[in-house]
């Protein structure tokens, strides 16, 4: 959790300023920026599934996670030192490559080191600390920019410090993972997929459906500015969401260890439905921020929970692969959901788009009630 927090402080401090730096300082066009961001995110997605499979193949989790965090840390000084667009872009893509490497092995490592009856709390705690880093990073970037007279390079240079602390925490304070049983064959195969129980595929399907119904947080910012929020204060929307998310992630994860899976999944979807309803019909900014708080509550209820469900339903020898498959399925669904949401927003307006998203979340909730009946839950 602390490893994730430090790296998020570093990464989000840079990412909060990088689009402005690339366009206003280095002269990139918005179209080129979009291509770069697309390539960076595609890199993250493509690497995720392979890193998890490799950790299963060798029966080790900490080393690939350490490589991923280390690669991200190594890229940070480049942002501060490079004056050429190509070097900055290469560092950005390499940073996303490191994120892709570390995700699945890190989650599998948490599952391996945590007693099954405490996994929900463990994943919730990691998510809470990660979110804390996501709040501190942008706020620190804003404060440093104000104090230094918009010195981008100074902010980028100082972001190296938490990145180093992140790697050091993982390297020296997290115990070496025990040697888990190795997969009998390379995990990305048909035979390995057949070893995944039915319960795991139910979790993947529900996670993907949920990701498709939950659109990107960037639309929250657009909704806020449409209701009259000054663009200068737009980052506060994500800060408010993250505060609720971070405060609720650990308690929600701990509850998932005690309450039924069905109840927790439905509760998370109920929070999403409520958030969409408020966001669809909010007449003013105070009401809008109530919707943002509900959105954060949904994230707190769902993110650690689904990580726990993946860990609980996947075979021990294929846990890294399982996290990679889950992440890929959710990411593809998120792209489809965002595309549809954006089209509805452009055609019918923000209110209609959020109302439709709420209906979609309600449909997923009913599907979860059916799919997570006790017999299905046992796989």
């Amino acid at each position: 959790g602390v490893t994730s927090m430090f790296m998020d402080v570093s990464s989000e401090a840079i990412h909060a300023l990088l689009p402005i730096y690339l366009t206003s300082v280095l002269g990139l066009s918005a179209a080129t920026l979009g291509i770069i961001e697309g390539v960076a995110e595609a890199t993250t997605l493509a690497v995720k599934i392979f890193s998890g499979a490799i950790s299963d193949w060798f029966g080790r989790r900490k080393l690939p996670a350490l490589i991923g965090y280390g690669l991200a840390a190594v890229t940070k000084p480049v942002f501060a030192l490079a004056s050429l667009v190509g070097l900055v872009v290469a560092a950005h893509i390499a940073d996303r490559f490191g994120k892709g490497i570390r995700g699945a092995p890190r989650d599998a490592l948490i599952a391996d080191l945590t007693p099954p009856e405490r996994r929900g709390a463990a994943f919730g705690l990691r998510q809470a600390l990660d979110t804390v880093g996501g709040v501190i990073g942008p706020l620190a970037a804003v404060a440093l920019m104000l104090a230094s007279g918009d010195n981008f390079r100074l902010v980028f240079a100082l972001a190296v410090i938490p990145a180093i602390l992140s790697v050091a925490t993982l390297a020296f304070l997290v115990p070496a993972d025990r040697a888990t049983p190795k997969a009998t064959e390379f995990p990305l195969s048909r035979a390995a997929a057949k070893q995944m129980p039915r319960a795991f595929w139910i979790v993947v399907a529900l996670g993907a459906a949920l990701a498709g119904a939950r659109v990107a947080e960037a639309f929250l910012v657009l909704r806020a500015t449409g209701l009259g929020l000054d663009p200068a204060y737009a980052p506060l929307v994500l800060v408010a969401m993250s505060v609720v998310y971070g405060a609720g992630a650990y308690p929600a994860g701990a509850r998932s260890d005690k309450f039924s899976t069905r109840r927790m999944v439905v509760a998370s979807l109920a929070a999403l439905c409520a958030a969409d309803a408020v966001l669809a019909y909010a007449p003013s900014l105070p009401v809008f921020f109530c919707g943002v708080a509900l959105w954060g509550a949904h994230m707190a209820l769902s993110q650690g929970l689904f990580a726990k469900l993946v860990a609980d339903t996947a075979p021990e020898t294929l846990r890294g692969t399982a996290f990679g498959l889950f992440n890929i399925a959710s990411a593809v669904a998120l792209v489809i959901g965002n595309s549809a949401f954006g089209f509805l927003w452009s055609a019918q307006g923000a209110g209609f788009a959020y109302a439709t998203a709420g209906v979609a979340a309600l449909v997923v909730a009913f599907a979860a009630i059916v799919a997570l009946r006790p017999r299905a839950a046992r796989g």
Side-chain angles (χ1 to χ4, degrees), residues 147-185:
S148 65
D150 293 343
N151 189 332
F152 286 91
R153 291 181 181 275
L154 175 63
V155 179
F156 294 162
L158 292 176
V160 175
I161 298 172
I164 294 173
L165 292 174
S166 172
V167 176
T169 300
L170 179 59
F172 300 114
L173 299 182
V174 175
D177 53 321
R178 58 185 176 81
T180 58
K182 298 180 182 179
T184 55
E185 55 185 294

mmCIF file of all heavy atoms in Angstrom, residues 147-185:
data_model
loop_
_atom_site.group_PDB
_atom_site.id
_atom_site.type_symbol
_atom_site.label_atom_id
_atom_site.label_comp_id
_atom_site.label_asym_id
_atom_site.label_seq_id
_atom_site.Cartn_x
_atom_site.Cartn_y
_atom_site.Cartn_z
ATOM 1 N N ALA A 147 4.364 28.104 -6.128
ATOM 2 C CA ALA A 147 5.517 28.586 -5.359
ATOM 3 C C ALA A 147 6.735 28.871 -6.234
ATOM 4 O O ALA A 147 7.567 29.726 -5.894
ATOM 5 C CB ALA A 147 5.880 27.558 -4.283
ATOM 6 N N SER A 148 6.855 28.159 -7.356
ATOM 7 C CA SER A 148 8.058 28.278 -8.192
ATOM 8 C C SER A 148 7.843 29.129 -9.433
ATOM 9 O O SER A 148 8.763 29.247 -10.260
ATOM 10 C CB SER A 148 8.519 26.881 -8.626
ATOM 11 O OG SER A 148 7.544 26.265 -9.465
ATOM 12 N N GLY A 149 6.662 29.710 -9.589
ATOM 13 C CA GLY A 149 6.406 30.491 -10.785
ATOM 14 C C GLY A 149 6.275 29.637 -12.022
ATOM 15 O O GLY A 149 6.865 29.941 -13.074
ATOM 16 N N ASP A 150 5.547 28.546 -11.922
ATOM 17 C CA ASP A 150 5.292 27.623 -13.043
ATOM 18 C C ASP A 150 6.570 26.980 -13.577
ATOM 19 O O ASP A 150 6.789 26.881 -14.790
ATOM 20 C CB ASP A 150 4.564 28.343 -14.192
ATOM 21 C CG ASP A 150 3.154 28.760 -13.813
ATOM 22 O OD1 ASP A 150 2.631 28.230 -12.805
ATOM 23 O OD2 ASP A 150 2.575 29.609 -14.515
ATOM 24 N N ASN A 151 7.409 26.508 -12.660
ATOM 25 C CA ASN A 151 8.643 25.811 -13.060
ATOM 26 C C ASN A 151 8.340 24.315 -13.202
ATOM 27 O O ASN A 151 8.415 23.551 -12.236
ATOM 28 C CB ASN A 151 9.729 26.046 -12.010
ATOM 29 C CG ASN A 151 11.087 25.545 -12.468
ATOM 30 O OD1 ASN A 151 11.181 24.615 -13.271
ATOM 31 N ND2 ASN A 151 12.143 26.147 -11.960
ATOM 32 N N PHE A 152 7.979 23.903 -14.425
ATOM 33 C CA PHE A 152 7.623 22.506 -14.672
ATOM 34 C C PHE A 152 8.764 21.563 -14.305
ATOM 35 O O PHE A 152 8.556 20.518 -13.686
ATOM 36 C CB PHE A 152 7.277 22.307 -16.154
ATOM 37 C CG PHE A 152 5.946 22.858 -16.560
ATOM 38 C CD1 PHE A 152 5.834 24.163 -17.024
ATOM 39 C CD2 PHE A 152 4.802 22.084 -16.493
ATOM 40 C CE1 PHE A 152 4.622 24.685 -17.419
ATOM 41 C CE2 PHE A 152 3.578 22.585 -16.880
ATOM 42 C CZ PHE A 152 3.470 23.885 -17.352
ATOM 43 N N ARG A 153 9.983 21.927 -14.689
ATOM 44 C CA ARG A 153 11.120 21.023 -14.488
ATOM 45 C C ARG A 153 11.400 20.796 -13.001
ATOM 46 O O ARG A 153 11.804 19.697 -12.614
ATOM 47 C CB ARG A 153 12.359 21.569 -15.194
ATOM 48 C CG ARG A 153 12.257 21.529 -16.714
ATOM 49 C CD ARG A 153 13.527 22.053 -17.367
ATOM 50 N NE ARG A 153 13.418 22.038 -18.811
ATOM 51 C CZ ARG A 153 13.680 20.979 -19.571
ATOM 52 N NH1 ARG A 153 14.074 19.848 -19.005
ATOM 53 N NH2 ARG A 153 13.562 21.042 -20.877
ATOM 54 N N LEU A 154 11.182 21.804 -12.197
ATOM 55 C CA LEU A 154 11.390 21.638 -10.753
ATOM 56 C C LEU A 154 10.392 20.629 -10.191
ATOM 57 O O LEU A 154 10.766 19.763 -9.392
ATOM 58 C CB LEU A 154 11.231 22.982 -10.039
ATOM 59 C CG LEU A 154 11.298 22.913 -8.506
ATOM 60 C CD1 LEU A 154 12.666 22.416 -8.064
ATOM 61 C CD2 LEU A 154 10.991 24.277 -7.888
ATOM 62 N N VAL A 155 9.129 20.743 -10.592
ATOM 63 C CA VAL A 155 8.116 19.788 -10.129
ATOM 64 C C VAL A 155 8.474 18.381 -10.565
ATOM 65 O O VAL A 155 8.407 17.433 -9.779
ATOM 66 C CB VAL A 155 6.724 20.179 -10.654
ATOM 67 C CG1 VAL A 155 5.679 19.160 -10.197
ATOM 68 C CG2 VAL A 155 6.335 21.574 -10.182
ATOM 69 N N PHE A 156 8.872 18.227 -11.824
ATOM 70 C CA PHE A 156 9.244 16.905 -12.335
ATOM 71 C C PHE A 156 10.449 16.342 -11.585
ATOM 72 O O PHE A 156 10.501 15.144 -11.292
ATOM 73 C CB PHE A 156 9.562 16.987 -13.835
ATOM 74 C CG PHE A 156 8.380 17.335 -14.702
ATOM 75 C CD1 PHE A 156 8.564 17.807 -15.994
ATOM 76 C CD2 PHE A 156 7.081 17.201 -14.227
ATOM 77 C CE1 PHE A 156 7.484 18.123 -16.805
ATOM 78 C CE2 PHE A 156 5.993 17.518 -15.022
ATOM 79 C CZ PHE A 156 6.190 17.985 -16.313
ATOM 80 N N ALA A 157 11.403 17.214 -11.259
ATOM 81 C CA ALA A 157 12.598 16.746 -10.543
ATOM 82 C C ALA A 157 12.246 16.278 -9.130
ATOM 83 O O ALA A 157 12.717 15.231 -8.666
ATOM 84 C CB ALA A 157 13.641 17.865 -10.482
ATOM 85 N N LEU A 158 11.406 17.036 -8.431
ATOM 86 C CA LEU A 158 11.026 16.659 -7.067
ATOM 87 C C LEU A 158 10.162 15.404 -7.052
ATOM 88 O O LEU A 158 10.137 14.676 -6.041
ATOM 89 C CB LEU A 158 10.291 17.824 -6.396
ATOM 90 C CG LEU A 158 11.141 19.060 -6.102
ATOM 91 C CD1 LEU A 158 10.287 20.183 -5.535
ATOM 92 C CD2 LEU A 158 12.275 18.718 -5.137
ATOM 93 N N ALA A 159 9.478 15.123 -8.154
ATOM 94 C CA ALA A 159 8.660 13.908 -8.231
ATOM 95 C C ALA A 159 9.505 12.641 -8.224
ATOM 96 O O ALA A 159 8.985 11.546 -7.990
ATOM 97 C CB ALA A 159 7.795 13.945 -9.484
ATOM 98 N N VAL A 160 10.800 12.786 -8.456
ATOM 99 C CA VAL A 160 11.695 11.620 -8.414
ATOM 100 C C VAL A 160 11.786 11.060 -6.991
ATOM 101 O O VAL A 160 11.910 9.844 -6.792
ATOM 102 C CB VAL A 160 13.103 12.006 -8.930
ATOM 103 C CG1 VAL A 160 14.071 10.834 -8.768
ATOM 104 C CG2 VAL A 160 13.021 12.439 -10.387
ATOM 105 N N ILE A 161 11.694 11.925 -5.990
ATOM 106 C CA ILE A 161 11.892 11.500 -4.595
ATOM 107 C C ILE A 161 10.872 10.458 -4.155
ATOM 108 O O ILE A 161 11.254 9.379 -3.673
ATOM 109 C CB ILE A 161 11.884 12.729 -3.652
ATOM 110 C CG1 ILE A 161 13.045 13.670 -4.005
ATOM 111 C CG2 ILE A 161 11.973 12.283 -2.195
ATOM 112 C CD1 ILE A 161 13.015 14.996 -3.261
ATOM 113 N N PRO A 162 9.555 10.703 -4.294
ATOM 114 C CA PRO A 162 8.617 9.654 -3.888
ATOM 115 C C PRO A 162 8.722 8.387 -4.742
ATOM 116 O O PRO A 162 8.422 7.294 -4.256
ATOM 117 C CB PRO A 162 7.241 10.317 -4.037
ATOM 118 C CG PRO A 162 7.449 11.488 -4.922
ATOM 119 C CD PRO A 162 8.851 11.947 -4.675
ATOM 120 N N ALA A 163 9.161 8.518 -5.989
ATOM 121 C CA ALA A 163 9.342 7.326 -6.823
ATOM 122 C C ALA A 163 10.437 6.426 -6.243
ATOM 123 O O ALA A 163 10.302 5.192 -6.196
ATOM 124 C CB ALA A 163 9.680 7.725 -8.252
ATOM 125 N N ILE A 164 11.528 7.042 -5.790
ATOM 126 C CA ILE A 164 12.614 6.276 -5.175
ATOM 127 C C ILE A 164 12.136 5.630 -3.878
ATOM 128 O O ILE A 164 12.438 4.461 -3.592
ATOM 129 C CB ILE A 164 13.830 7.192 -4.913
ATOM 130 C CG1 ILE A 164 14.431 7.662 -6.241
ATOM 131 C CG2 ILE A 164 14.884 6.463 -4.076
ATOM 132 C CD1 ILE A 164 15.525 8.705 -6.081
ATOM 133 N N LEU A 165 11.373 6.377 -3.081
ATOM 134 C CA LEU A 165 10.840 5.821 -1.832
ATOM 135 C C LEU A 165 9.907 4.639 -2.105
ATOM 136 O O LEU A 165 9.868 3.673 -1.338
ATOM 137 C CB LEU A 165 10.086 6.915 -1.063
ATOM 138 C CG LEU A 165 10.940 8.051 -0.499
ATOM 139 C CD1 LEU A 165 10.055 9.130 0.103
ATOM 140 C CD2 LEU A 165 11.917 7.518 0.540
ATOM 141 N N SER A 166 9.171 4.700 -3.205
ATOM 142 C CA SER A 166 8.275 3.605 -3.570
ATOM 143 C C SER A 166 9.052 2.320 -3.820
ATOM 144 O O SER A 166 8.726 1.257 -3.272
ATOM 145 C CB SER A 166 7.479 3.995 -4.826
ATOM 146 O OG SER A 166 6.735 2.899 -5.306
ATOM 147 N N VAL A 167 10.090 2.422 -4.639
ATOM 148 C CA VAL A 167 10.891 1.236 -4.962
ATOM 149 C C VAL A 167 11.603 0.713 -3.725
ATOM 150 O O VAL A 167 11.676 -0.504 -3.499
ATOM 151 C CB VAL A 167 11.904 1.568 -6.080
ATOM 152 C CG1 VAL A 167 12.814 0.371 -6.351
ATOM 153 C CG2 VAL A 167 11.175 1.965 -7.357
ATOM 154 N N ALA A 168 12.125 1.620 -2.905
ATOM 155 C CA ALA A 168 12.827 1.201 -1.694
ATOM 156 C C ALA A 168 11.895 0.483 -0.725
ATOM 157 O O ALA A 168 12.273 -0.515 -0.096
ATOM 158 C CB ALA A 168 13.459 2.417 -1.017
ATOM 159 N N THR A 169 10.664 0.965 -0.617
ATOM 160 C CA THR A 169 9.692 0.316 0.265
ATOM 161 C C THR A 169 9.435 -1.116 -0.171
ATOM 162 O O THR A 169 9.432 -2.046 0.651
ATOM 163 C CB THR A 169 8.369 1.106 0.267
ATOM 164 O OG1 THR A 169 8.615 2.434 0.723
ATOM 165 C CG2 THR A 169 7.347 0.445 1.184
ATOM 166 N N LEU A 170 9.197 -1.305 -1.465
ATOM 167 C CA LEU A 170 8.940 -2.657 -1.971
ATOM 168 C C LEU A 170 10.168 -3.542 -1.838
ATOM 169 O O LEU A 170 10.081 -4.710 -1.437
ATOM 170 C CB LEU A 170 8.501 -2.583 -3.434
ATOM 171 C CG LEU A 170 8.206 -3.920 -4.120
ATOM 172 C CD1 LEU A 170 7.105 -4.686 -3.391
ATOM 173 C CD2 LEU A 170 7.810 -3.700 -5.580
ATOM 174 N N ALA A 171 11.335 -2.989 -2.149
ATOM 175 C CA ALA A 171 12.559 -3.802 -2.157
ATOM 176 C C ALA A 171 12.973 -4.243 -0.761
ATOM 177 O O ALA A 171 13.379 -5.398 -0.562
ATOM 178 C CB ALA A 171 13.690 -3.015 -2.816
ATOM 179 N N PHE A 172 12.857 -3.354 0.234
ATOM 180 C CA PHE A 172 13.449 -3.635 1.541
ATOM 181 C C PHE A 172 12.432 -3.927 2.654
ATOM 182 O O PHE A 172 12.790 -4.550 3.654
ATOM 183 C CB PHE A 172 14.334 -2.461 1.973
ATOM 184 C CG PHE A 172 15.462 -2.181 1.025
ATOM 185 C CD1 PHE A 172 15.503 -1.004 0.304
ATOM 186 C CD2 PHE A 172 16.471 -3.121 0.819
ATOM 187 C CE1 PHE A 172 16.543 -0.747 -0.585
ATOM 188 C CE2 PHE A 172 17.506 -2.869 -0.068
ATOM 189 C CZ PHE A 172 17.543 -1.681 -0.774
ATOM 190 N N LEU A 173 11.194 -3.498 2.501
ATOM 191 C CA LEU A 173 10.231 -3.666 3.586
ATOM 192 C C LEU A 173 9.192 -4.751 3.317
ATOM 193 O O LEU A 173 8.597 -5.269 4.261
ATOM 194 C CB LEU A 173 9.530 -2.338 3.888
ATOM 195 C CG LEU A 173 10.449 -1.203 4.345
ATOM 196 C CD1 LEU A 173 9.641 0.052 4.651
ATOM 197 C CD2 LEU A 173 11.263 -1.611 5.563
ATOM 198 N N VAL A 174 8.952 -5.053 2.051
ATOM 199 C CA VAL A 174 8.020 -6.139 1.727
ATOM 200 C C VAL A 174 8.809 -7.445 1.723
ATOM 201 O O VAL A 174 9.833 -7.539 1.035
ATOM 202 C CB VAL A 174 7.355 -5.919 0.356
ATOM 203 C CG1 VAL A 174 6.475 -7.112 -0.024
ATOM 204 C CG2 VAL A 174 6.529 -4.643 0.380
ATOM 205 N N PRO A 175 8.385 -8.441 2.493
ATOM 206 C CA PRO A 175 9.144 -9.692 2.545
ATOM 207 C C PRO A 175 9.168 -10.398 1.193
ATOM 208 O O PRO A 175 8.268 -10.217 0.363
ATOM 209 C CB PRO A 175 8.373 -10.533 3.579
ATOM 210 C CG PRO A 175 6.992 -9.968 3.577
ATOM 211 C CD PRO A 175 7.153 -8.501 3.306
ATOM 212 N N ALA A 176 10.200 -11.166 0.979
ATOM 213 C CA ALA A 176 10.292 -11.952 -0.251
ATOM 214 C C ALA A 176 9.100 -12.895 -0.325
ATOM 215 O O ALA A 176 8.755 -13.560 0.654
ATOM 216 C CB ALA A 176 11.597 -12.739 -0.274
ATOM 217 N N ASP A 177 8.474 -12.913 -1.491
ATOM 218 C CA ASP A 177 7.304 -13.779 -1.606
ATOM 219 C C ASP A 177 7.738 -15.242 -1.576
ATOM 220 O O ASP A 177 8.779 -15.619 -2.095
ATOM 221 C CB ASP A 177 6.525 -13.478 -2.890
ATOM 222 C CG ASP A 177 7.388 -13.522 -4.139
ATOM 223 O OD1 ASP A 177 8.551 -13.059 -4.084
ATOM 224 O OD2 ASP A 177 6.919 -14.012 -5.158
ATOM 225 N N ARG A 178 6.892 -16.033 -0.950
ATOM 226 C CA ARG A 178 7.187 -17.459 -0.917
ATOM 227 C C ARG A 178 7.055 -18.020 -2.326
ATOM 228 O O ARG A 178 6.312 -17.502 -3.159
ATOM 229 C CB ARG A 178 6.212 -18.167 0.022
ATOM 230 C CG ARG A 178 4.754 -17.976 -0.349
ATOM 231 C CD ARG A 178 3.836 -18.594 0.688
ATOM 232 N NE ARG A 178 2.435 -18.335 0.406
ATOM 233 C CZ ARG A 178 1.704 -19.018 -0.460
ATOM 234 N NH1 ARG A 178 2.267 -20.016 -1.126
ATOM 235 N NH2 ARG A 178 0.443 -18.729 -0.666
ATOM 236 N N ALA A 179 7.783 -19.054 -2.600
ATOM 237 C CA ALA A 179 7.726 -19.683 -3.917
ATOM 238 C C ALA A 179 6.370 -20.355 -4.082
ATOM 239 O O ALA A 179 6.053 -21.319 -3.404
ATOM 240 C CB ALA A 179 8.846 -20.703 -4.070
ATOM 241 N N THR A 180 5.547 -19.801 -4.949
ATOM 242 C CA THR A 180 4.242 -20.401 -5.199
ATOM 243 C C THR A 180 4.396 -21.521 -6.217
ATOM 244 O O THR A 180 5.329 -21.524 -7.020
ATOM 245 C CB THR A 180 3.274 -19.343 -5.745
ATOM 246 O OG1 THR A 180 3.821 -18.790 -6.946
ATOM 247 C CG2 THR A 180 3.076 -18.232 -4.748
ATOM 248 N N PRO A 181 3.473 -22.478 -6.220
ATOM 249 C CA PRO A 181 3.546 -23.541 -7.228
ATOM 250 C C PRO A 181 3.510 -22.944 -8.628
ATOM 251 O O PRO A 181 2.710 -22.056 -8.921
ATOM 252 C CB PRO A 181 2.293 -24.378 -6.938
ATOM 253 C CG PRO A 181 1.959 -24.090 -5.510
ATOM 254 C CD PRO A 181 2.366 -22.667 -5.278
ATOM 255 N N LYS A 182 4.388 -23.434 -9.500
ATOM 256 C CA LYS A 182 4.445 -22.905 -10.850
ATOM 257 C C LYS A 182 3.336 -23.507 -11.705
ATOM 258 O O LYS A 182 2.882 -24.623 -11.474
ATOM 259 C CB LYS A 182 5.810 -23.230 -11.486
ATOM 260 C CG LYS A 182 6.993 -22.608 -10.770
ATOM 261 C CD LYS A 182 8.276 -22.982 -11.475
ATOM 262 C CE LYS A 182 9.502 -22.409 -10.739
ATOM 263 N NZ LYS A 182 10.759 -22.786 -11.421
ATOM 264 N N ALA A 183 2.914 -22.722 -12.700
ATOM 265 C CA ALA A 183 1.961 -23.253 -13.661
ATOM 266 C C ALA A 183 2.617 -24.385 -14.433
ATOM 267 O O ALA A 183 3.807 -24.334 -14.758
ATOM 268 C CB ALA A 183 1.513 -22.145 -14.610
ATOM 269 N N THR A 184 1.864 -25.430 -14.722
ATOM 270 C CA THR A 184 2.424 -26.599 -15.403
ATOM 271 C C THR A 184 2.765 -26.308 -16.855
ATOM 272 O O THR A 184 3.593 -26.990 -17.446
ATOM 273 C CB THR A 184 1.448 -27.777 -15.330
ATOM 274 O OG1 THR A 184 0.178 -27.352 -15.862
ATOM 275 C CG2 THR A 184 1.250 -28.221 -13.881
ATOM 276 N N GLU A 185 2.126 -25.317 -17.452
ATOM 277 C CA GLU A 185 2.451 -24.871 -18.799
ATOM 278 C C GLU A 185 2.236 -23.374 -18.870
ATOM 279 O O GLU A 185 1.665 -22.780 -17.946
ATOM 280 C CB GLU A 185 1.585 -25.581 -19.835
ATOM 281 C CG GLU A 185 0.089 -25.448 -19.598
ATOM 282 C CD GLU A 185 -0.698 -26.274 -20.599
ATOM 283 O OE1 GLU A 185 -0.642 -25.948 -21.789
ATOM 284 O OE2 GLU A 185 -1.356 -27.231 -20.180
#
